[in-house]
């Protein structure tokens, strides 16, 4: 029993090391796994190493997700602690890789269907995401081949690096999608401006007073021009963020990018509000 307790404690330490190097990608609580292991040890009538409590009478075994015999591959009178640690580390990494693939695949599908993206950006992003998915499949095979603790640690570092790379791909895709949608809004606003100008021209031909319409168009175009400038500046900050020297500088540029896009949206909303108010005034004049 003492040997079993020691074996389990060593396994916990090994898993904690793997989890610490990879915890930022996990949505599987490591704490729950360790608690399950703790309960298993207690279920065998022993306190974990480092506990200040004395062993109590052996309790009735409780069902949990941790099976000593299964995880350790225990045979009668034969326990291989190194094999157990490697197995647990491999299962943990495979779970994280499967989770990441499960996130990237539908994201890639959504990018393929976004109409506001230009064809060049769409192809570039989809190709980038497919390459990420392929790499995670390669890493799954490497995880499965791992036979030692050193193998598991080595592939864990590769998974971590690839996860960071894929996160940057997703961030880039999201930023381009936001900009593309904002560009579409600006394009629609330009079309509305042309519609107003045609209305003014038609009224002039008919000998009507167009002063109120011209004032409305001038105010509207001013808001749209501000929105265009915000989008252009946001693009500049996004490009600068991609080559920033430090993380702090990158985060500052990204924050500025987001604020500029928000400003652009606000200018477009205000521009359309002007149109709405102008249409209401025009309706009132016509039907007094």
């Amino acid at each position: 029993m003492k040997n079993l307790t020691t074996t389990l404690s060593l396994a916990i330490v090994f898993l904690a090391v793997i989890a610490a190097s990879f915890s930022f990608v996990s949505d599987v609580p490591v704490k729950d796994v360790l608690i399950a292991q703790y309960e298993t040890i207690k279920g065998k009538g022993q306190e974990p190493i480092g506990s200040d409590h004395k062993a109590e009478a052996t309790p009735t075994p409780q069902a949990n997700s941790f099976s000593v015999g299964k995880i350790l591959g225990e045979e009668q009178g034969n326990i291989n602690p190194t094999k157990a640690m490697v197995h647990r580390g491999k299962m943990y990494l495979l779970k994280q890789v499967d989770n990441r693939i499960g996130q990237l695949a539908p994201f890639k599908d959504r990018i393929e269907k976004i109409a506001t993206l230009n064809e060049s950006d769409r192809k570039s992003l989809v190709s980038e995401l497919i390459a990420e998915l392929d790499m995670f499949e390669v890493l799954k095979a490497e995880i499965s081949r791992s036979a030692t603790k050193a193998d598991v640690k080595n592939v864990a570092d590769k998974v971590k690096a690839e996860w960071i790379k894929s996160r940057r791909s997703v961030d880039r895709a999201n930023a381009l999608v936001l900009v593309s949608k904002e560009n579409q809004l600006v394009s629609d606003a330009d079309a509305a401006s042309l519609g107003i100008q045609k209305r003014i021209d038609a009224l002039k031909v008919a000998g009507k007073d167009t002063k109120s319409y011209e004032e409305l168009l001038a105010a509207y175009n001013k808001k749209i021009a501000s929105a265009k400038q915000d989008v252009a500046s946001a693009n500049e900050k996004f490009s600068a963020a991609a080559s920033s020297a430090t993380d702090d500088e990158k985060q500052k540029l990204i924050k500025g990018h987001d604020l500029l896009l928000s400003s652009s949206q606000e200018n477009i909303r205000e521009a359309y509000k002007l149109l709405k108010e102008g249409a209401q005034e025009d309706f009132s004049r016509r039907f007094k």
Side-chain angles (χ1 to χ4, degrees), residues 1-13 33-56 59 66:
M1 184 61 70
K2 182 177 181 181
N3 290 336
L4 177 59
T5 302
T6 303
T7 297
L8 289 174
S9 299
L10 289 173
I12 292 170
V13 171
V33 175
L34 298 182
I35 289 173
Q37 294 171 331
Y38 175 93
E39 292 298 331
T40 298
I41 295 171
K42 290 186 68 178
K44 295 295 182 179
Q46 295 288 334
E47 287 291 337
I49 292 176
S51 172
D52 293 331
H53 295 82
K54 295 181 180 179
E56 299 176 356
F66 183 80

Side-chain angles (χ1 to χ4, degrees), residues 69-109:
K70 181 178 179 180
I71 296 302
L72 296 183
E74 179 180 359
E75 299 177 0
Q76 187 68 29
N78 179 32
I79 298 177
N80 187 331
T82 300
K83 182 179 179 181
M85 295 178 200
V86 170
H87 176 76
R88 292 292 293 173
K90 288 167 65 173
M91 293 302 100
Y92 179 83
L93 290 176
L94 285 171
K95 178 66 174 178
Q96 308 319 309
V97 172
D98 281 337
N99 285 343
R100 194 55 176 163
I101 290 173
Q103 294 165 349
L104 288 177
F107 181 76
K108 184 263 297 180
D109 293 341

Side-chain angles (χ1 to χ4, degrees), residues 182-246:
E182 207 62 27
N183 284 332
Q184 184 62 52
L185 288 173
V186 169
S187 178
D188 292 343
D190 281 339
S193 178
L194 289 175
I196 298 171
Q197 186 61 57
K198 287 181 180 180
R199 170 70 175 164
I200 291 173
D201 294 341
L203 289 172
K204 284 182 176 180
V205 170
K208 303 287 185 177
D209 180 18
T210 61
K211 181 179 179 181
S212 62
Y213 293 107
E214 290 174 346
E215 290 176 348
L216 171 64
L217 181 60
Y220 177 87
N221 285 340
K222 184 177 180 180
K223 290 291 183 182
I224 298 306
S226 294
K228 288 180 179 179
Q229 183 57 52
D230 287 338
V231 172
S233 297
N235 285 333
E236 291 176 2
K237 287 189 178 296
F238 178 72
S239 297
S243 58
S244 59
T246 66

